[in-house]
Amino acid sequence: MDMTSPRLPPLNALRAFEAAARHLSVKDAARELCVTPGAVSQMIKSLEQHLGVALFLRVNRGIQLTDAGRDFLPPVRSAFRQILAASARIALPPESRVLTVSTTAFFASAWLIPRLYDFHARHPEIDLQVVTGNALAAFGPGGADVAIRHGLGRYAGLQSEHLLTVEVVPVASAALAAKLGMPAGARDLLRWPRVHDEARNGWQLWFAAQGVDDAGMPRGPAFDDGSLLLQAVAAGQGAGLLPVAMVQDEVAAGRLVRLAGDARLEEFAYYLVWPGRGALPEKARVFRDWLLESSLGAPA
């Protein structure tokens, strides 16, 4: 063997040697390593060939360590203990690997789930747990670490960061549009019944973006979930302002009609929300950075 550039013995062979030496049994070592006794014998043989010395004596259907084997065993065990100790120091405990993300069912299905493979490929050390609901998440032990919500990003006692602005469009049921007549412009929608997001600010922002500053009080029903708002619009309760991706199939099928063109309301967006006033925890920061990167070329 060339001692100027020594080669490390195969790790699997070292594991087989240590297990066999501890049990003084090839069969028991094989059971521990979930391989066949023949595989353990072959790995030990390859290690002996690599070292150029016999490590075991085969006696009475059993094995005993040779002098070389007894000398070799302590440093091998010590090396494995050091590897285990180093792994334990840097490895995340199981509970800290999980990042619980609360979001709406629509955002989860339309945007997040199609991209989860990319996140797990980039960050296998983090296990995402996605929970959906309409109300803002309960944070803390047993609750969410972060939430993703659509609105203005203003939540008392919580921090938020802008993630993604999506195209929105005013829509109504085909029956309601036929009854009231298609609006010639934004101001015509002031006479329409309207349904609102929970904070009742989407329509106000939309009218302001169209140059209508006297939209008045946002009257009519409000919903804390986009899917419910969409159902109310489809049922003819009024015009609704919804993400384009959420209504495109209904528009294509003729059940809903667009009342105006698409609009981007920068403040009316998806936000990452988390508790307290401190910085994001590391795993949440990793998720935030991925969300921002993924949203650049892939609008929802």
Side-chain angles (χ1 to χ4, degrees):
M1 185 168 60
D2 182 4
M3 296 304 294
T4 60
S5 56
R7 292 183 299 112
L8 287 172
L11 180 60
N12 283 340
L14 290 173
R15 291 182 64 209
F17 163 71
E18 192 279 332
R22 182 161 25 88
H23 293 290
L24 287 179
S25 167
V26 170
K27 182 183 294 186
D28 290 344
R31 187 178 297 112
E32 176 183 319
L33 300 176
C34 298
V35 297
T36 65
V40 172
S41 296
Q42 186 59 41
M43 286 187 281
I44 292 173
K45 183 178 179 181
S46 70
L47 180 60
E48 291 176 328
Q49 291 174 344
H50 179 94
L51 297 173
V53 296
L55 299 172
F56 292 99
L57 294 173
R58 281 72 178 176
V59 294
N60 298 328
R61 297 186 179 181
I63 56 174
Q64 292 181 0
L65 285 165
T66 64
D67 289 342
R70 281 190 290 272
D71 288 343
F72 191 48
L73 182 57
V76 170
R77 282 181 173 168
S78 176
F80 279 127
R81 290 192 186 104
Q82 289 183 55
I83 292 171
L84 286 171
S87 300
R89 285 195 299 271
I90 66 171
L92 289 171
E95 64 274 10
S96 67
R97 291 173 58 93
V98 176
L99 178 68
T100 301
V101 179
S102 168
T103 187
T104 62
F106 171 70
F107 186 85
S109 61
W111 198 97
L112 187 57
I113 290 175
R115 294 167 173 81
L116 281 185
Y117 178 82
D118 178 68
F119 179 80
H120 288 305
R122 296 189 189 198
H123 304 288
E125 75 283 3
I126 299 175
D127 295 326
L128 283 186
Q129 178 171 304
V130 180
V131 295
T132 60
N134 300 334
L136 192 60
F139 296 104
D145 297 300
V146 293
I148 299 171
R149 288 295 186 271
H150 190 262
L152 294 180
R154 300 167 188 167
Y155 305 101
L158 302 173
Q159 292 196 79
S160 64
E161 181 172 349
H162 180 280
L163 289 177
L164 175 66
T165 297
V166 296
E167 301 282 349
V168 294
V169 62
V171 292
S173 69
L176 185 63
K179 176 182 178 181
L180 298 180
M182 288 294 291
R187 185 168 290 278
D188 285 351
L189 283 173
L190 291 175
R191 62 183 176 82
W192 278 58
R194 296 186 298 277
V195 292
H196 303 270
D197 59 282
E198 182 181 19
R200 297 179 178 272
N201 47 35
W203 275 112
Q204 298 293 93
L205 290 171
W206 184 84
F207 278 119
Q210 309 306 311
V212 179
D213 296 323
D214 54 346
M217 294 294 292
R219 302 295 303 274
F223 300 90
D224 64 356
D225 177 68
S227 297
L228 296 177
L229 200 157
L230 175 60
Q231 290 181 39
V233 172
Q237 299 298 314
L241 192 64
L242 289 159
V244 172
M246 195 176 197
V247 301
Q248 57 189 5
D249 290 343
E250 297 292 312
V251 171
R255 290 185 289 270
L256 297 183
V257 294
R258 290 171 175 255
L259 303 177
D262 304 349
R264 289 182 66 87
L265 308 177
E266 288 301 325
E267 284 186 283
F268 197 51
Y270 284 100
Y271 289 83
L272 186 70
V273 185
W274 68 95
R277 297 183 178 180
L280 276 168
E282 175 63 18
K283 59 186 176 181
R285 184 193 60 77
V286 169
F287 180 63
R288 184 272 314 275
D289 292 347
W290 172 80
L291 285 169
L292 290 172
E293 181 181 348
S294 299
S295 70
L296 293 179

